[in-house]
């Protein structure tokens, strides 16, 4: 049976981090809400009982149902034999994946700094301040952290020549930042050269090139996590 991915059909969002890994690994999966619509997702989630995912993305593998992007990637990586083969190293990869999740949340906070349920237009002043701090402090801190980690094994990937879930996620992170903050990212070019090299190398992973060129690869849009609002990219 193929994996079933449940994620909102109209945004790349966190679902794309899972998709990129599955495509790179050439795994068979059904993208349920993209074929059956968002209602199918809501119905499925509400029908689940007990310990269930809080929010999409979540993955169904027969009896196994897992939420949280980082955990889904750990599960798939382990099950498909795409980890490092060493527990301590796999935990380091997981640590990085959770760092990525933390940063993704902060990026989401640039357009929703007060409440996820409010419109951007109702929290623009706070958004402006949050985005300025992200650009000045948080992005350099996180991206240099990832860049230094990449330098440890000589690149282009986190484990050197062997790609992992961290690399497909860092690729998506960099693509999203280029979309959301093009002026800032252009100005900072070269500051995190290892990350830029990874961003260039990931599309060459066998299995990914076809996906990235296909219509299934969703473009960033201004309903998702990575949004481009010119005023949040001002220098
Ligand atoms: N920490 C979770 C966050 C999941 C999450 O926030 N999902 C969003 C879509 S990207 C959602 O639908 N949230 C609904 C909610 O928070 O009520 C992860 O990394 O997967």
């Amino acid at each position: 049976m193929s994996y079933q991915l449940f994620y909102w059909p109209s945004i790349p969002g966190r679902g794309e981090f899972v998709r990129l890994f599955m495509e790179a690994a050439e795994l068979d999966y059904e993208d349920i809400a993209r074929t059956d619509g968002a209602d199918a997702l809501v119905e499925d989630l509400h029908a689940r009982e007990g310990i269930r995912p809080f929010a999409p993305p979540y993955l169904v593998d027969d009896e196994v149902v897992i939420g949280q992007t980082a955990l889904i990637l750990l599960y798939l990586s382990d099950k498909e034999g795409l980890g490092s083969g060493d527990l301590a190293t796999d935990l380091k990869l997981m640590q990085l994946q959770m760092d990525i999740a933390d940063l993704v949340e902060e990026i989401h906070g640039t357009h929703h700094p007060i409440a996820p349920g409010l419109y951007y237009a109702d929290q623009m002043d706070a958004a402006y301040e949050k985005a300025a701090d992200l650009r000045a402090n948080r992005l350099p801190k996180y991206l240099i952290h990832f860049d230094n980690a990449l330098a440890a094994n000589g690149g282009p990937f986190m484990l050197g020549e062997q790609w992992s879930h961290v690399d497909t996620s860092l690729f998506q992170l960099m693509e999203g930042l280029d979309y959301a903050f093009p002026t800032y990212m252009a100005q900072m070019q070269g500051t995190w050269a290892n990350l830029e090299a990874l961003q260039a190398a990931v599309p060459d992973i066998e299995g990914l090139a076809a996906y990235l060129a296909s219509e299934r690869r969703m473009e960033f849009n201004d309903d998702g996590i990575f949004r481009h609002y010119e005023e949040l990219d001002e220098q």
Side-chain angles (χ1 to χ4, degrees):
M1 199 180 107
S2 69
Y3 295 111
Q4 291 183 317
L5 172 67
F6 286 83
Y7 192 69
W8 304 118
S10 54
I11 55 169
R14 290 178 173 89
E16 194 66 12
F17 290 88
V18 180
R19 274 188 210 111
L20 281 173
F21 178 80
M22 294 205 283
E23 295 284 347
E26 300 183 64
L27 305 182
D28 198 18
Y29 70 98
E30 294 169 81
D31 208 332
I32 300 295
R34 283 186 81 180
T35 30
D36 299 345
D39 287 352
L41 184 164
V42 174
E43 239 172 70
D44 179 273
L45 186 56
H46 287 169
R48 296 191 179 275
E49 291 173 346
I51 302 176
R52 61 181 195 180
F54 174 73
Y58 62 94
L59 183 86
V60 177
D61 179 22
D62 207 358
E63 294 299 305
V64 180
V65 183
I66 318 161
Q68 294 287 353
T69 309
L71 200 56
I72 296 168
L73 291 169
L74 176 71
Y75 174 75
L76 286 172
S77 200
D78 189 61
K79 185 164 178 210
E80 299 292 338
L82 291 165
S84 68
D86 167 63
L87 178 62
T89 307
D90 282 346
L91 288 174
K92 282 186 186 169
L93 292 178
M94 190 57 180
Q95 175 185 295
L96 287 164
Q97 191 63 245
M98 292 175 83
D99 293 337
I100 295 168
D102 288 345
L103 176 54
V104 165
E105 188 58 37
E106 291 197 32
I107 292 165
H108 182 265
T110 59
H111 46 83
H112 280 81
I114 296 175
L118 290 178
Y119 288 112
Y120 168 59
D122 296 328
Q123 42 192 329
M124 280 180 75
D125 289 348
Y128 193 79
E129 273 185 49
K130 175 98 179 167
D133 181 65
L134 186 95
R135 295 192 313 267
N137 301 310
R138 302 300 286 171
L139 278 179
K141 188 170 181 180
Y142 271 109
L143 297 188
I144 289 167
H145 165 69
F146 296 133
D147 198 71
N148 287 341
L150 274 167
N153 283 322
F157 304 127
M158 203 49 85
L159 296 178
E161 292 296 320
Q162 183 196 341
W163 68 270
S164 72
H165 59 85
V166 171
D167 304 295
T168 47
S169 292
L170 285 176
F171 167 78
Q172 181 65 2
L173 177 71
M174 292 297 283
E175 293 285 303
L177 289 172
D178 284 344
Y179 172 79
F181 304 105
T183 308
Y184 173 82
M185 290 301 275
Q187 280 174 355
M188 297 301 278
Q189 202 176 2
T191 312
W192 24 75
N194 295 306
L195 268 176
E196 286 162 3
L198 172 145
Q199 188 180 7
V202 164
D204 290 338
I205 296 172
E206 226 180 304
L208 218 48
Y211 170 69
L212 291 174
S214 76
E215 282 183 2
R216 289 184 303 125
R217 165 70 171 171
M218 213 184 293
E219 290 187 2
F220 293 104
N221 62 52
D222 292 341
D223 292 321
I225 291 165
F226 299 97
R227 301 185 186 190
H228 177 62
Y229 294 126
E230 230 166 272
E231 61 276 16
L232 301 187
D233 187 29
E234 269 172 14
Q235 295 302 298

